Amino acid sequence: MKSSTKKLLTILLALAMVFSMAACGGGSSSEEESTEGGGAGDGTSITLFNSKNEIQENLEDLAKVYEEQTGVHVEVYYSQDTVSAHLATKYASKAPYTLNMVDAKDIYSLGKQYGADMTGSKWVDDTDYAISVDDKVLGFPTCIEARGILYNTAAIKKALGEDFDPASVKTLDDFKAMCDKLVAAGMEAPTAVLKPDWSLAAHYLQQVYEEREDPEAFVQDLYAGKVDLMKDEKFNALMDTFDALKEYNMFKSAPLSAEDELVHQAMSEGQDAFQFGGCWEWNDLQTYDYNGPVGIMPVPQNLKDDYTGKLVGGGSKYFYVDGSEYTSEADQEAAKAFLDWLATSDEGKEFVSGTCGMVSPFKSNTVECTNDIGKVVKEYVDAGNLVPNYDYDPDDHYSKLGIEMQKYLADQCTREELAKAIQDYWANVTPVEH
Amino acid sequence: MPPPTGGISEQLPVSYLQGDNMKRNTLSYKVRQYLMFGGVGTFLFAAVVIVPFIYGIYLTFTSWDGVSPEKPFVGLANYAAAFGDHEYWLAMGRTVIYSVFSVVLINILAFVLAYLVTSGVKGQNFFRAGFFVPNLIGGIVLGYVWKFVFNRAFVAIGTAITGHPTNSLLATPSGAMFCLIFASVWQYAGYMMLIYVAGFMSVSDSLKEAAMIDGCTPSQAMRNVTIPLMRSSFVQCIFLSITRCFVIYDVNLSLTKGEPFGQSVMAAMHVYNTAFTYKNYGMGQAEALILFVVCAVVGVTQVWVGKKGEVEA
């Protein structure tokens, strides 16, 4: 063998070893991202787990401001893992975060098990969105998020030459007429549909349970197998609208090839006019050549009921303070003080509505929201036109029924088959206790 | 003369230096020797493999949700549930199909590549490095890269040719399976190529020449001399590719994420979903253990069969 060949082989094998070692050991260091390493030498130091990727940097900056003002060091962490799975590893290693940002449903499991009672905190009376379990206040709402149909005013104005009034599109018939007008005016396809399971099942299908007088009773009937969705007005009304979204979809011939980025880009740049979504999409829209403003309106339906003209949504991204034996009383108090500060101080208010562009769940926060969609959501919130979220779905609901919704989106099943799949899912799943 | 200090001979018992075999046969000597050379490795292996493995087996007998401090004991219920989990066995079936295609294609391609880069073509060192590079890209990154190619590049080309938006390969179940196999073959072929290259190098030229002199054609020499002598390379490569394919997760996650319609969920992804997404840790762990047993049985059988017929020059 030539010596150069040997050398090369040796180097390649060495590289292979190094990389396979790196692959073994790399996981833990790359998935967590923290701010600076050491805690404050002289004061209290607490940890905060953030599960909202887009505000990570802003939170780190806020933590610095907080430390300057109070001397309490807040170390901000982020992880891409499933929230509950990530926190499970922290509890398993007996080193949980002091403050944990989780989804509402996690408050009923994780929060219930480990959360410290925040009854009596300053912010509690200032919001309608705190989560209490067994008379204990456990969840601090970071923001309000709502779902509906996003519309791009600039795109509609450009196509039709007139200002768009979302109030003029209340029913499905209005919506179809509007889409036809846009097509006639030269817009190739007025809608785009996001294909991920969370959007189709946890956000769109979810409205079938939420837009009724007693969602809990309806879900219990689903569990009991007593619901015939094909005879359900709400289900049919929403699926009729979904059919229209499919019909005018710019990715109609290949709906499952539509990457989220393409859908967001279309809305942001005004290639289409409508898309089902929510205010969290603001950050995605900002990534492109934003040509707005983009607003949000209720999903138009040919059904007039108490939910007509309302968005669906509520508190989102809840903090709970770890009250387990691994977090000292002093740290728990420091964490509660931080949440008080976040809700009531000028810096905290500015952070939520101004810097991050989120809709504040606190009544005393009058800082104008910098998020175009959030501004509209705020109007609905202030007018009391928000249908509450239903937070007690089984954990596999969004993925299992997301698959069925994807089939429906791709014309792989009929509405009857979809309805049956949904009914079968609920009848066979273990009911969630809450 | 001052007494010598620091020398090794000073610190070791006389018996060591005299080569006292009686002493060397004592248990304490052997234990000390083992701990000195293998202690750290054994400790680490136990800490990160053996202990978690045994603890994992314990968890299969509980209905732990992954978070709760309580781990209720449920006996064999998780195994019963795992054996009755229709979707798990569907995922397992998919994994077997994926593995069969991938293993065969990886090894054929790796063997051909190895043959080409040892045949003396110009710039063969460059080619070796080039074919190996895909293996240096982590599975997650590789998945995203190919996802982009399948979803964007190919779709854009298809759209340009046909004039209307075409479906991505990743949007159909069989297409997604094809993409997974394709990406895995692309990733592993270069790595296995290196082992085959070593195999080719280990076969002495004189044997091949002798065969040629005896009247073999080059293909006969390859079939009857080179390949039998490279048998250990095949055993290693097939073992490595089988075990890797059975537990595929990273490429699965980043390339297809189980889509479309959950029809590209492989066994490992199903295990992860059961344990972490659906918070059914005990059952997920039981399914993982079943996957381990299947993988071990297939791998060990293959090595056993392969080793039986090994020949030496």
Side-chain angles (χ1 to χ4, degrees), chain A residues 149-202:
Chain A
I149 298 283
L150 304 183
Y151 54 82
N152 187 321
T153 4
I156 300 173
K157 185 163 187 187
K158 192 177 157 215
L160 302 181
E162 58 190 61
D163 283 329
F164 174 63
D165 175 20
S168 68
V169 182
K170 283 219 165 62
T171 65
L172 176 57
D173 295 335
D174 297 340
F175 183 70
K176 281 184 181 165
M178 186 57 160
C179 287
D180 287 335
K181 242 162 91 178
L182 287 166
V183 172
M187 186 182 281
E188 234 170 86
T191 72
V193 182
L194 281 172
K195 71 171 165 94
D197 45 13
W198 50 261
S199 177
L200 295 173

Side-chain angles (χ1 to χ4, degrees), chain A residues 113-125:
Chain A
Q113 228 151 38
Y114 296 111
D117 186 7
M118 295 189 274
T119 309
S121 291
K122 273 192 245 169
W123 55 268
V124 177
D125 292 332

Side-chain angles (χ1 to χ4, degrees), chain A residues 277-290:
Chain A
C279 48
W280 56 88
E281 270 157 90
W282 176 244
N283 290 288
D284 295 309
L285 299 183
Q286 294 291 295
T287 325
Y288 304 98
D289 199 1
Y290 181 68

Side-chain angles (χ1 to χ4, degrees), chain B:
Chain B
M1 187 175 140
T5 55
I8 286 174
S9 59
E10 278 301 297
Q11 293 159 5
L12 290 173
V14 179
S15 58
Y16 276 79
L17 301 171
Q18 290 171 341
D20 188 335
N21 282 326
M22 292 299 288
K23 293 275 186 192
R24 286 195 177 189
N25 277 335
T26 60
L27 185 67
S28 73
Y29 173 81
K30 284 183 178 169
V31 168
R32 263 184 294 140
Q33 286 294 93
Y34 177 78
L35 286 181
M36 191 162 81
F37 289 108
V40 176
T42 308
F43 172 75
L44 289 177
F45 185 71
V48 302
V49 178
I50 304 291
V51 173
F53 188 80
I54 293 170
Y55 187 63
I57 294 177
Y58 157 69
L59 288 177
T60 62
F61 301 113
T62 69
S63 64
W64 192 39
D65 63 1
V67 180
S68 162
E70 285 122 46
K71 303 186 180 75
F73 189 80
V74 294
L76 292 172
N78 284 323
Y79 288 94
F83 279 106
D85 185 354
H86 183 61
E87 281 179 33
Y88 174 62
W89 293 104
L90 277 180
M92 187 70 101
R94 245 175 253 135
T95 311
V96 171
I97 295 171
Y98 156 82
S99 301
V100 168
F101 278 101
S102 301
V103 168
V104 170
L105 291 173
I106 288 171
N107 285 284
I108 291 177
L109 186 63
F111 183 80
V112 172
L113 290 178
Y115 177 73
L116 292 177
V117 299
T118 49
S119 62
V121 293
K122 208 169 172 205
Q124 63 179 12
N125 286 344
F126 173 77
F127 288 121
R128 280 181 202 182
F131 292 133
F132 185 76
V133 163
N135 193 61
L136 299 181
I137 307 172
I140 290 284
V141 177
L142 181 143
Y144 283 124
V145 169
W146 278 106
K147 186 178 185 175
F148 182 82
V149 173
F150 287 124
N151 267 353
R152 299 285 186 86
F154 286 178
V155 168
I157 294 169
T159 308
I161 294 171
T162 59
H164 58 84
T166 47
N167 239 323
S168 155
L169 268 177
L170 287 168
T172 59
S174 48
M177 178 66 101
F178 166 81
C179 294
L180 277 173
I181 295 172
F182 184 92
S184 304
V185 171
W186 187 75
Q187 181 184 19
Y188 289 128
Y191 182 71
M192 301 304 160
M193 176 197 75
L194 278 195
I195 300 176
Y196 284 121
V197 166
F200 271 112
M201 300 273 191
S202 69
V203 180
S204 152
D205 283 344
S206 60
L207 289 169
K208 280 181 262 180
E209 276 163 23
M212 304 285 260
I213 289 167
D214 285 346
C216 278
T217 62
S219 65
Q220 280 173 326
M222 167 69 84
R223 207 168 54 238
N224 298 316
V225 178
T226 313
I227 291 182
L229 287 172
M230 282 174 65
R231 195 172 175 119
S232 63
S233 300
F234 281 97
V235 172
Q236 282 170 31
C237 283
I238 295 175
F239 177 76
L240 283 177
S241 44
I242 286 178
T243 47
R244 284 179 181 207
C245 286
F246 258 94
V247 297
I248 180 185
Y249 179 74
D250 47 3
V251 177
N252 195 187
L253 180 73
S254 56
L255 184 60
T256 72
K257 213 180 157 201
E259 289 173 5
F261 322 132
Q263 302 258 328
S264 70
V265 175
M266 297 290 162
M269 180 178 271
H270 182 85
V271 166
Y272 179 90
N273 287 344
T274 306
F276 296 107
T277 313
Y278 312 152
K279 293 184 191 150
N280 218 333
Y281 203 94
M283 183 170 152
Q285 186 71 32
E287 292 181 342
L289 205 66
I290 296 171
L291 178 65
F292 167 78
V293 170
V294 170
C295 187
V297 167
V298 173
V300 170
T301 313
Q302 176 262 328
V303 170
W304 181 65
V305 171
K307 285 269 181 196
K308 261 205 320 194
E310 220 162 82
V311 288
E312 273 177 45

